[in-house]
Amino acid sequence: MFDILNLALPYFGVVFIGFACGKWRRLPEAGLAWVNFFLLYVSLPALMFNLIARTPFTELSNPPFLVATTLATMLTFALALVLGKAIGRLSLREATMAGLAGGYGNIGYMGPGLALAVLGTKAAAPTALIFCCDSIFLFSIVPLLVELTERDHASVAHALRTVLRQILQNPLIMATAAGILAAAFQLHPPTVLDRTLQFLQNAAAPTALFALGVTVALRPFERLPWEVPVLTVVKLVVHPLLSFGLMLLFGPFAQPWAATAVLMAALPPALNVFVIARQNDSWIEPASSAVLIGTFASVITLTSVMWLIQTGRLVFP
């Protein structure tokens, strides 16, 4: 157990350091803009590209795995949307944000570093593929559902254009696609570029976790809507359980792949839940609370999943 704590607590420790700094200095939130740009457009894309490009292309072709993991996210999103709408009496737009809180884990900031630390390099390919498929689903379903609430210009064509633009403009998805092409054609970047990418990817995890802590610290926390604790349980408990069941149903899969799927499903709600809620001017305060509560609660739930994986208690036939 001490080994698991030694593995998990540094990750959460960086989050807590960021949280403490955010509470202590209270610097303007605008100061995070360049940090988030560096993460989204530079460091994390370098990490995603390297994870995929170094993986044999034959390992990347695993349709049953992609279906199982994406289906787990879809079911969790739908469940969270329905529960949010029923418990909080939310509109469709608000319930869509609640669905994100229950289905969209921190697969960008926390996922890659944590998966590699727990499972090693064998987790690289499933981590990147889960990120890519989950992002495509979530960045597709949210604009479509939000578009249905727009009275002025409700248009399926407009929604589809928005979806396509968001996918093509997502640097992490594009970096994953570039990595797949590099793996397929066995392309190797020049030494200077390869070392630059490694240098950048090494900065991804600590910078992302610190930024996560600071951002959570700057969020207001005045009240806790009834639906938020329920959505937290959906994200931290139901999602990994669904992922575990679907791994068994669609498998067998290699142990590192199946374990990576459960670990990624156990991640807390992503910061993007709050960002997307603010962009759509809907369910903003509850989204902030969901990220805060989910991040702190995951210290127990996510560490438990890591312990089950590391001790061999979470085994897939």
Side-chain angles (χ1 to χ4, degrees), residues 251-270:
F253 300 110
Q255 174 70 17
W257 282 63
T260 299
V262 175
L263 183 66
M264 294 284 279
L267 293 168

Side-chain angles (χ1 to χ4, degrees), residues 293-315:
I293 298 299
T295 299
F296 282 102
S298 69
V299 175
I300 298 173
T301 58
L302 186 56
T303 302
S304 298
V305 172
M306 294 168 63
W307 176 76
L308 290 172
I309 292 172
Q310 287 284 77
T311 58
R313 287 172 169 80
L314 190 68
V315 180

Side-chain angles (χ1 to χ4, degrees), residues 76 96 111 115 159 192 241 277:
T76 309
T96 300
V192 61
L241 287 176

Side-chain angles (χ1 to χ4, degrees), residues 80-98:
L81 186 151
V82 170
L83 289 176
K85 189 171 182 60
I87 297 172
R89 301 181 183 275
L90 306 179
S91 65
L92 177 59
R93 181 188 286 253
E94 293 171 330
T96 300
M97 302 304 118

